């Protein structure tokens, strides 16, 4: 759709400006929709997001979690029934006002008050464990600065897994299953997430624990990117979600809920992209390979015919391939446009290549060209696609390593954070110490306990010995 003229993209070092330009130039999002915190998904963005969603659909369903769709309207009575949840979300709630002027419903900010009043009935119908998910839009009135795909008022492509179990142990195993699935989604996106256990005073309203994934964005800010909430029996007691045990006694279920969505794509854009635009992992690229014919008038027919033959060969091998036959723009401009869209591989073919029975293959991640024999192209591309995925992942690992530094004093840690870094510090786990390493006004936060085990260190605040480590940074 968008006709791209060279040099429209600011350098990535100017991160938010770069990010917003990429959304526009790569046809991902149109932010001109006249309601703050919302946007229109453009064709390339929808294709990208669907490729990510298809993967989570596959992983959830392989694990036996079934897809459902629950209405957007949530009964206000059911929402208010859970006091902690209601207090936590009250200032973010949109109401649905009826033509009569009554407001009996809210728009779903999360799925709990919509689904849980039905859980007891479903357990009677289908038994335990109950394991379902939905992918929907959710609505939260955000007072903080909105950023497309990162903090929206309409949160699109949002999945929520909700499960109910007979025992605490079973629910804890379920949380681990969700973590394994989430790690697989991230692997697919070539991004290694940072995973933490949240302290009990920092969890989802009403929950008893949480495991959260984070990514560090190029400006050094942390982005919360997916959570597994351990609800214990807090919600089942409120919504009376029960089953009869073997002795005929009523028991409350143990619950887990897990959610994330378009922030996966935000991380892909932010972490893999460069000064030339998007750089996509082949797993989710709507176009994995673009063929650009290089031709003059007299060679046009022959080159086009060969390019079409090649396209068919690649398509049959299962590669998502397109060919750019536009005549009104130069090959150089075509290169530029497909680079902004992050297409992992470009094949250039002209009379020289045809004569030598070879192809010029350009890889978007390293910006390098190789000459490949035509009859070995499929094998070569298959290897190249997984190599690109691995290269991108390594690059992100290196970026994270360069951002995270260890500190022993709060002053030095904050100094590093203000410079756009992420400080790794020891922390005993107690709330008063936690509050000392957060600066809410400057959006500096600690993120909970890293899952990695560490040697004993002293808490950066109270000097008590601890193995807990956390990251402190500005946060989106
Ligand atoms: Zn402490």
């Amino acid at each position: 759709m968008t006709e791209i003229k060279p040099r429209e993209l600011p350098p990535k070092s100017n991160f938010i400006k770069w990010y917003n330009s990429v959304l526009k130039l790569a046809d991902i999002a149109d932010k001109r929709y006249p309601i703050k915190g919302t946007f229109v998904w453009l064709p390339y963005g929808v294709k990208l997001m669907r490729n990510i969603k298809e993967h989570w659909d596959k992983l959830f369903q392989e694990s036996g979690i079934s897809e459902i769709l629950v209405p957007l309207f949530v009964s206000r009575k059911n929402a208010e029934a859970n006091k902690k949840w209601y207090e936590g979300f009250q200032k973010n709630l949109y109401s649905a006002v009826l033509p009569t002027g009554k407001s009996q419903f809210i728009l779903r900010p999360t799925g709990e008050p919509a689904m849980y009043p039905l859980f007891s009935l479903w357990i009677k119908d289908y038994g335990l464990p109950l394991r379902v998910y939905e992918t929907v839009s959710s609505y939260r009135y955000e007072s903080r600065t909105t950023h497309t795909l990162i903090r929206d008022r309409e949160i699109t492509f949002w999945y929520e897994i909700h499960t109910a179990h007979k025992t605490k142990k079973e629910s804890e195993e379920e949380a681990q299953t969700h973590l394994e699935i989430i790690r697989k989604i991230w692997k697919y996106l070539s991004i290694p997430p940072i995973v933490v256990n949240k302290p009990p005073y920092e969890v989802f309203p009403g929950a008893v624990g949480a495991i959260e994934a984070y990514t560090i964005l190029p400006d050094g800010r942390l982005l919360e990117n997916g959570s597994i909430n351990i609800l214990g029996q807090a919600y089942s007691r409120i919504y009376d979600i029960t089953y009869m045990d073997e002795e005929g006694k009523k028991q409350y279920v143990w619950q887990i809920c897990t959610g994330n969505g378009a922030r996966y794509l935000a991380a892909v854009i932010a972490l893999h992209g460069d000064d030339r635009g998007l750089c996509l992992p082949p797993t989710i690229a709507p176009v994995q390979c673009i063929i650009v014919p290089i031709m003059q008038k007299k060679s046009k027919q022959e080159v086009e015919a060969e390019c079409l033959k090649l396209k068919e060969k690649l398509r049959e091998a299962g590669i998502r391939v397109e060919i750019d036959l536009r005549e009104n723009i130069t090959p150089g401009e075509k290169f530029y446009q497909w680079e902004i869209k992050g297409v992992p591989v470009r094949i250039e073919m002209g009379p020289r290549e045809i004569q030598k029975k070879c192809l010029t293959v350009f890889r978007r991640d390293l910006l390098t060209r190789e000459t490949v024999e035509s009859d070995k192209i499929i094998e070569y591309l298959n290897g190249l696609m997984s190599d690109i995925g691995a290269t991108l992942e390594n690059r992100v690992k290196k970026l994270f390593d360069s951002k995270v530094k260890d500190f022993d004093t709060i002053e030095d840690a904050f100094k590093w954070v203000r410079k756009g870094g992420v400080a790794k510090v020891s922390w005993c786990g107690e709330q008063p110490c936690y509050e000392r390493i957060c600066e809410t006004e400057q959006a500096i936060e600690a993120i909970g306990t890293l899952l990695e085990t560490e040697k004993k260190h002293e808490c950066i605040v109270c000097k008590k010995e601890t193995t807990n480590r956390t990251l402190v940074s500005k946060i989106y």
Side-chain angles (χ1 to χ4, degrees), residues 450-476:
L450 294 163
L451 289 198
E452 59 195 76
T453 45
E454 289 267 357
K455 289 181 293 204
K456 278 190 181 165
H457 296 267
E458 283 180 350
C459 169
I460 194 167
V461 184
C462 70
K463 307 296 174 197
K464 220 189 303 176
E465 278 214 325
T466 177
T467 52
N468 276 358
R469 302 279 272 168
T470 188
L471 298 182
V472 178
S473 166
K474 291 207 176 189
I475 202 144
Y476 269 101

Side-chain angles (χ1 to χ4, degrees), residues 64-109:
I65 305 169
S66 306
E67 186 170 22
I68 59 169
L69 279 175
V70 178
L72 162 65
F73 297 126
V74 179
S75 133
R76 184 177 289 277
K77 192 176 129 237
N78 285 340
E80 284 171 351
N82 189 346
K83 231 177 134 226
K84 272 194 186 158
W85 181 94
Y86 194 73
E87 278 167 10
F89 279 106
Q90 198 171 15
K91 57 183 194 310
N92 308 105
L93 292 181
Y94 286 99
S95 291
V97 179
L98 302 180
T100 57
K102 278 189 188 159
S103 161
Q104 294 159 332
F105 312 110
I106 56 164
L107 304 189
R108 160 187 55 225

Side-chain angles (χ1 to χ4, degrees), residues 274-440:
D274 59 20
D275 284 348
R276 297 206 196 183
L278 281 184
C279 185
L280 296 173
T283 45
I284 60 161
V287 180
Q288 294 170 313
C289 177
I290 181 71
I291 302 171
V292 178
I294 313 289
M295 57 208 179
Q296 275 123 21
K297 253 196 188 133
K298 66 176 191 310
S299 56
K300 184 174 177 289
Q301 237 180 352
E302 189 194 8
V303 173
E304 270 192 20
E306 285 299 317
C307 283
L308 286 165
K309 256 195 254 169
L310 177 66
K311 182 190 172 189
E312 201 44 36
K313 186 168 151 186
L314 265 51
R315 201 188 56 79
E316 276 171 13
I319 294 167
R320 293 192 287 275
V321 57
E322 294 285 344
I323 180 166
D324 191 341
L325 291 174
R326 287 177 296 173
E327 288 183 5
N328 53 345
I329 64 169
T330 65
E333 281 173 280
K334 290 181 185 176
F335 294 173
Y336 188 87
Q337 293 184 7
W338 292 106
E339 281 169 20
I340 277 203
K341 291 198 163 186
V343 173
V345 177
R346 178 174 78 229
I347 296 181
E348 300 160 21
M349 197 203 298
R352 195 178 63 92
E353 279 85 1
I354 295 172
Q355 195 211 338
K356 290 189 171 167
K357 294 193 168 41
C358 69
L359 295 161
T360 300
V361 179
F362 170 85
R363 56 188 284 184
R364 174 67 185 83
D365 58 339
L366 300 179
L367 306 169
T368 53
R369 276 190 174 85
E370 292 276 347
T371 304
V372 181
E373 286 175 48
S374 299
D375 53 4
K376 296 200 173 126
I377 189 67
I378 301 292
E379 208 185 339
Y380 181 82
L381 286 181
N382 285 334
L384 185 58
M385 296 292 176
S386 52
D387 194 52
I388 291 173
T391 304
L392 291 177
E393 188 174 339
N394 277 328
R395 214 146 69 176
V396 176
K397 268 189 201 142
K398 276 193 192 143
L399 173 81
F400 286 4
D401 287 345
S402 74
K403 295 278 177 195
V404 179
K405 278 194 181 166
D406 286 40
F407 290 94
D408 296 327
T409 71
I410 300 177
E411 298 76 57
D412 290 348
F414 278 10
K415 241 185 244 167
W416 177 238
V417 169
R418 287 194 195 97
K419 272 194 213 156
V422 178
K424 192 174 188 185
V425 304
S426 296
W427 150 69
C428 62
E430 299 299 327
Q431 191 166 7
C433 294
Y434 187 84
E435 281 164 5
R436 284 286 305 282
I437 49 174
C438 296
E439 276 274 8
T440 322

Side-chain angles (χ1 to χ4, degrees), residues 178-195:
H178 293 191
L179 182 56
E180 278 163 34
I181 292 175
I182 283 168
R183 285 193 191 280
K184 283 182 188 163
I185 299 173
W186 283 114
K187 187 79 194 164
Y188 198 66
L189 304 176
S190 295
I191 294 172
I194 293 160
V195 183

Side-chain angles (χ1 to χ4, degrees), residues 52-148:
I52 301 175
K53 181 185 174 292
E54 265 174 31
H55 193 63
W56 77 54
D57 283 335
K58 180 173 165 276
L59 291 172
F60 296 166
Q61 288 171 27
E62 274 174 4
S63 165
I65 305 169
S66 306
E67 186 170 22
I68 59 169
L69 279 175
V70 178
L72 162 65
F73 297 126
V74 179
S75 133
R76 184 177 289 277
K77 192 176 129 237
N78 285 340
E80 284 171 351
N82 189 346
K83 231 177 134 226
K84 272 194 186 158
W85 181 94
Y86 194 73
E87 278 167 10
F89 279 106
Q90 198 171 15
K91 57 183 194 310
N92 308 105
L93 292 181
Y94 286 99
S95 291
V97 179
L98 302 180
T100 57
K102 278 189 188 159
S103 161
Q104 294 159 332
F105 312 110
I106 56 164
L107 304 189
R108 160 187 55 225
T110 69
E112 293 79 14
M115 288 186 201
Y116 292 176
L118 288 165
F119 260 37
S120 255
L121 306 174
W122 292 344
I123 288 166
K124 281 199 193 88
D125 292 345
Y126 307 108
L128 282 170
L130 180 62
R131 300 169 79 229
V132 294
Y133 79 99
E134 62 174 353
T135 303
V136 290
S137 283
S138 294
Y139 300 83
R140 292 183 202 169
Y141 179 80
E142 291 286 354
S143 51
R144 289 166 73 174
T145 315
T146 55
H147 290 293
T148 306

